[in-house]
Amino acid sequence: MRSPLLFSAAICISKILAYSPSSYYFDPLKHLAGVAPPFDPIDPPLDPSPPQGCNVTRAAYLVRHAAIVANDFDYESYIEPFVEKLENTTVDWAKVPVLSFLATWQNPITDEEQEMLTRSGKLEATKLGVDIAQRYQGLRTPKKIWTSTAERTVKSAKSFTQGLADDTDDMSVVEISEGEEEGADSLTPYKGCPAYSSKAGSNESSEFLDVYTKPVIGHFNSAAPAFNFTAKDVYAMSLLCGYETVIRGSSPFCNLEVLSPNEWLGFEYTNDIQYHYNTGYGNPTSGAIGFPWVNATLNSLMATQNNMSNATADQDLYISFTHRELPPTVLVALGLFNNSAFSGSNNVNYTMPVNAINHGRVWKSSNILQFLTNVAIEKMECESFGYDDGSYYRVLVNDSPQSLDGCSSGPGESCGEERMREWVAQRGGIVGEFGGVCGVEYGNSTNVLGIYES
Ligand SMILES: *[C@@H]1O[C@H](CO)[C@@H](O)[C@H](O)[C@H]1NC(C)=O
Ligand SMILES: *[C@@H]1O[C@H](CO)[C@@H](O)[C@H](O)[C@H]1NC(C)=O
Ligand SMILES: *[C@@H]1O[C@H](CO)[C@@H](O)[C@H](O)[C@H]1NC(C)=O
Ligand SMILES: *[C@@H]1O[C@H](CO)[C@@H](O)[C@H](O)[C@H]1NC(C)=O
Ligand SMILES: *[C@@H]1O[C@H](CO)[C@@H](O)[C@H](O)[C@H]1NC(C)=O
Ligand SMILES: *[C@@H]1O[C@H](CO)[C@@H](O)[C@H](O)[C@H]1NC(C)=O
Ligand SMILES: *[C@@H]1O[C@H](CO)[C@@H](O)[C@H](O)[C@H]1NC(C)=O
Ligand SMILES: *[C@@H]1O[C@H](CO)[C@@H](O)[C@H](O)[C@H]1NC(C)=O
Ligand SMILES: *[C@@H]1O[C@H](CO)[C@@H](O)[C@H](O)[C@H]1NC(C)=O
Ligand SMILES: *[C@@H]1O[C@H](CO)[C@@H](O)[C@H](O)[C@H]1NC(C)=O
């Protein structure tokens, strides 16, 4: 018989082995929220290849622009003040362990280049074009793709065409105005939504910013008291890990001796709170802002060539480029990454406490709005075991198929066409109509996205 003492010793050893540092791996680049370089989060881990018996016959993509040098707001609010403080400081960084790199570090961001695509961003956008061309070999190359007018979105779209098209002259990049007077008829509908504020979420996220940065500030200020590190400085250092990586290929700020894995999770959660209240479930306008893209896109994928209005682009692929705000609102319109789903209640804000991390949340900005993040809808023709023959639809986010709540009884958790029509109409009812929810004030606003006809 095994002695109790040996038995508990064995448990002890197995615990030590299970939690040994060698099995722990942490990559900060996958926790950088809006400044994360593109990656496939595999969330959930459903198989991305078409389900057994199904062929993709059409697809649509909504893509955030690729990596930029720096966002204006991030630069002016956090990075620039930190960099100026560094220029003024009397601290001799060479003598400060862990932060000694600051003695020679140079700011990679110049004023003129801010908001521009980085070289790696252009390359990633081209690669996405190649990936899509390879994934949909049987589909026709589109004649048009659409983009909002900002330079970073237009350049992302153009870099993308280099990967997608044989000859980019055969494809036109249609620019859609970012004006607020377009209402829902643009790739930036939040700009035409008076009830949406770009500042939403900043108060809530700054509460958690203070929580997670407190020990970091204590640590850094004990090493370099004269610098007087603040919460904003720590946040700036995290942003620099992302921006410097997409500009230079790597950054000393990403070193896990500077900020630990737990501290990176704090940075990520601060952003998740921000986007929850800004473009997520914590903002009552989100779903209404994202719904017109869902509705128009499904209408185009469902239309047959006979009943497609002659103005609507007759294409197999409908691809559009936009800014970071739109993809998360589309996910809300689709009911995806809803922390409250399957909880039996709908207390959205309770799922994102501002004083502690909810590690069990599904709303993770790094997985949802990284650079070049994309939301896809695929139309499939299926003759699959155990299912009726016909058209089915599925949504993929950064290559991971998603299961739509109430619309997933087809092959590979896809949704049959008839059910899809009812389900989308139901979603429209849940999230509300753009004009009403947004409190649109001008007369000629519209609730419908018509870009596929331009
Ligand atoms: C840096 O020093 C200059 C000159 O003393 C001062 O005007 C500026 O406010 C300082 N900047 C920061 C960020 O401390
Ligand atoms: C509303 O009118 C303005 C000014 O004529 C125009 O620019 C805008 O495109 C119109 N909006 C819609 C949705 O047609
Ligand atoms: C943030 O809080 C301040 C002070 O309570 C308030 O005036 C402001 O409206 C809030 N901002 C947002 C975007 O909620
Ligand atoms: C440190 O920074 C904080 C926040 O900016 C400021 O209120 C405080 O006066 C500074 N302390 C010193 C010693 O400079
Ligand atoms: C969640 O919080 C936001 C911002 O404070 C608020 O506008 C919204 O109504 C809240 N949602 C619920 C369901 O309480
Ligand atoms: C969905 O799109 C169709 C076709 O453009 C339009 O008639 C309908 O009003 C839209 N539904 C909603 C809820 O916006
Ligand atoms: C197009 O035709 C199909 C099949 O005839 C029909 O089910 C569908 O409702 C039509 N769609 C539109 C947008 O008219
Ligand atoms: C498209 O144009 C053709 C010929 O120009 C016409 O016969 C057909 O009815 C039009 N279809 C629609 C949906 O308007
Ligand atoms: C999120 O999930 C809850 C619980 O299922 C549901 O009541 C709510 O409508 C969902 N929110 C949205 C915007 O779909
Ligand atoms: C899918 O494509 C293959 C190859 O073209 C074809 O043999 C098969 O019949 C198609 N299946 C469906 C359901 O359309």
Side-chain angles (χ1 to χ4, degrees), residues 200-277:
S202 54
N203 284 347
E204 291 86 352
S205 63
S206 69
E207 287 195 43
F208 191 72
L209 175 72
D210 288 338
V211 172
Y212 96 85
T213 55
K214 195 164 174 239
V216 189
I217 294 168
H219 172 202
F220 289 169
N221 280 341
S222 81
F227 194 72
N228 189 22
F229 277 93
T230 64
K232 284 191 165 184
D233 293 332
V234 174
Y235 193 82
M237 293 167 76
S238 301
L239 291 173
L240 279 165
C241 160
Y243 285 125
E244 191 174 17
T245 298
V246 297
I247 298 168
R248 289 189 174 139
S250 66
S251 167
F253 290 103
C254 306
N255 185 331
L256 293 178
E257 288 183 351
V258 178
L259 294 167
S260 70
N262 292 10
E263 289 157 359
W264 281 111
L265 295 175
F267 171 79
E268 179 177 47
Y269 190 66
T270 300
N271 278 276
D272 293 357
I273 294 173
Q274 166 91 26
Y275 292 112
H276 168 75
Y277 287 108

Side-chain angles (χ1 to χ4, degrees), residues 284-307:
T285 64
S286 302
I289 289 171
F291 185 79
W293 183 85
V294 173
N295 189 32
T297 300
L298 278 167
N299 282 334
S300 291
L301 296 180
M302 283 178 180
T304 58
Q305 268 169 35
N306 312 332
N307 65 8

Side-chain angles (χ1 to χ4, degrees), residues 291-292 294-297 299 424-425 427-429 431-434 447-450 453:
F291 185 79
V294 173
N295 189 32
T297 300
N299 282 334
V424 169
R427 292 302 305 167
V431 299
E433 212 163 44
F434 182 85
N447 296 328
V448 174
L449 175 67
E453 293 170 19

